[in-house]
Amino acid sequence: MPDDVFIAINGDALHAKSKVYIGRALARKSAGDLDEYQLWASLALELLGKAALARKHPSLVVDPMHWQSMFVAAGINVTTDVKTITAKTLFERLAHLVPRFDKTVQKFCQDIAERRNAELHSADLPFRTMRLDAWEARYWHASDTILHEMGSSLEQWLGAADAKAPRQLLDEAAKALAAAVKLRVEAAREQFEALKRAERERLTAEAELREPQHQMGIFKGRYDEIWSESCPACKCRAFMTGEQTGEDISEERDEHAIWEVVDREFVGEEFRCPTCDLTLMGSDEIDASGLSYIHEDQQEREMEYEPDYGND
């Protein structure tokens, strides 16, 4: 990573500016100006996300179509007019960097960025129509998720005193989510157990015949992989899907082999049970149900070899 990267895409500078902006946001909340609270908060969130990417490498936050910015990301300061990625691209990239930054969190972040753009660039007043309880808890959850990936926390980002209220709000939101998921699972379980025994046995047998590769149609989104899980409600074979977050080549292989074993890791985004219709969206709901949102498997694939040059 270049040491002399321009301040506009320096991870520490972006992080510091995000702290200034979230401080302004909380000041506006204290003054009762909830429109500006959300405005400054949305700006702070985008800066925080860019800080997380820039700390991995500055090239992750510059516009790849602007060659001058790519040079700056490499430590060659050919311009001060650095162009960075859009909020949409930012949150898409964070979804591949931060395990718990799932589709649900990504959509929330994109929505608040779009409201900010409408607030700044049109006559619309989208912040005024948003109730505080409709966005605040999810905002702190998204921020906390990014900060955790950066090895930081709300307490460090806001200062211990200022973080007390968001942390309490996060705890309350987590408890509410856990309670809601528990009730959802119990309702699905009761509905399944209310069926006659012969019907339950028939449905269980049918579930065992279902294969992951044939379940794409039951999910709302498109993901990298589908795998089977035991449903926490009816105990039948159900399915989860998610994005791949990493892979490693297994070291246990023959030097003359033409196949290699790859250890892959996925983060669950969506769970569905075709038998009892239980649905869980996002890693937080999956985790609250008692299922693991982390999935690991092995894949065997043909090895790729670099062509030999200069041996003619």
Side-chain angles (χ1 to χ4, degrees), residues 196-242:
K196 293 182 179 180
R197 180 177 177 180
E199 179 69 2
R200 295 200 306 271
E201 291 176 350
R202 182 186 68 80
L203 291 172
T204 301
E206 288 180 356
E208 287 301 310
L209 298 177
R210 297 189 180 102
E211 295 296 334
Q213 64 268 28
H214 300 143
Q215 307 306 312
M216 185 176 296
I218 70 174
F219 295 101
K220 289 185 176 180
R222 296 285 182 178
Y223 300 97
D224 294 334
E225 190 65 78
I226 300 173
W227 60 93
S228 60
E229 294 281 357
S230 177
C231 177
C234 67
K235 307 304 179 186
C236 292
R237 193 177 203 199
F239 302 93
M240 194 181 299
T241 188

